[in-house]
Amino acid sequence: MGSLEVERTTIGWAASDPSAVLSPYTYTLRNTGPDDVYIKVIYCGVCHTDLHQAKNDLGMSNYPMVPGHEVVGQVLEVGSEVTKFRVGDCVGVGIVVGSCQNCATCISEKEQYCNKKIWNYNDVYTDGKPTQGGFAREMIVNSK
């Protein structure tokens, strides 16, 4: 069952500027919502996109930034509306961690085309908290 009241802190490896040097960074995770899963990151791949974002090669990076969007993790907690996963399950997290869930693309389960999609890192959740990626101990993401 998800916890809507408890915020957690975690540690990730963050770039603080376009030098892209990663350093330990402690930050607060958003609350686990009814459709979310709280996961322990077991593995995260390194992709060229992570490097481009960390170095601000696209001119749109926000710092501090914890990159990483090829994530394998273990479910530690599920939100009250989550039925697909249970505590202990092995899960994967990609680049999209949220969307509007109301448009035609979301309804057809093609959230990657949603105009309101939320990226795994270098973006902002609907509650205003910045997204942080998989170069971290834990993550909270939408169960879809």
Side-chain angles (χ1 to χ4, degrees):
M1 173 93 76
S3 170
L4 298 175
E5 293 87 32
V6 178
E7 284 190 336
R8 299 173 174 93
T9 59
T10 193
I11 297 174
W13 287 90
S16 59
D17 58 50
S19 72
V21 173
L22 301 181
S23 301
Y25 171 61
T26 301
Y27 58 98
T28 302
L29 295 169
R30 66 188 178 92
N31 292 337
T32 306
D35 296 312
D36 293 334
V37 289
Y38 170 50
I39 68 168
K40 172 186 174 182
V41 176
I42 297 170
Y43 173 82
C44 186
V46 178
C47 175
H48 69 91
T49 305
D50 300 325
L51 303 175
H52 289 302
Q53 288 284 349
K55 291 181 175 187
N56 197 27
D57 289 343
L58 304 175
M60 54 189 238
S61 297
N62 299 302
Y63 300 101
M65 174 198 310
V66 177
H69 67 272
E70 298 170 344
V71 180
V72 175
Q74 182 180 32
V75 176
L76 299 175
E77 179 181 68
V78 298
S80 60
E81 301 294 318
V82 175
T83 58
K84 188 174 180 179
F85 301 108
R86 296 186 319 217
V87 171
D89 284 352
C90 183
V91 295
V93 179
I95 190 65
V96 177
V97 294
S99 62
C100 78
Q101 296 299 305
N102 295 314
C103 68
T105 58
C106 286
I107 292 168
S108 64
E109 297 187 352
K110 296 178 183 168
E111 293 90 347
Q112 68 270 26
Y113 299 112
C114 177
N115 289 332
K116 296 181 181 176
K117 67 183 153 284
I118 300 171
W119 299 115
N120 170 304
Y121 63 89
N122 201 32
D123 205 350
V124 178
Y125 287 109
T126 56
D127 65 3
K129 285 197 178 269
T131 60
Q132 301 290 2
F135 296 175
R137 285 188 189 164
E138 298 97 8
M139 300 176 76
I140 295 175
V141 297
N142 185 283
S143 63
K144 287 197 97 174

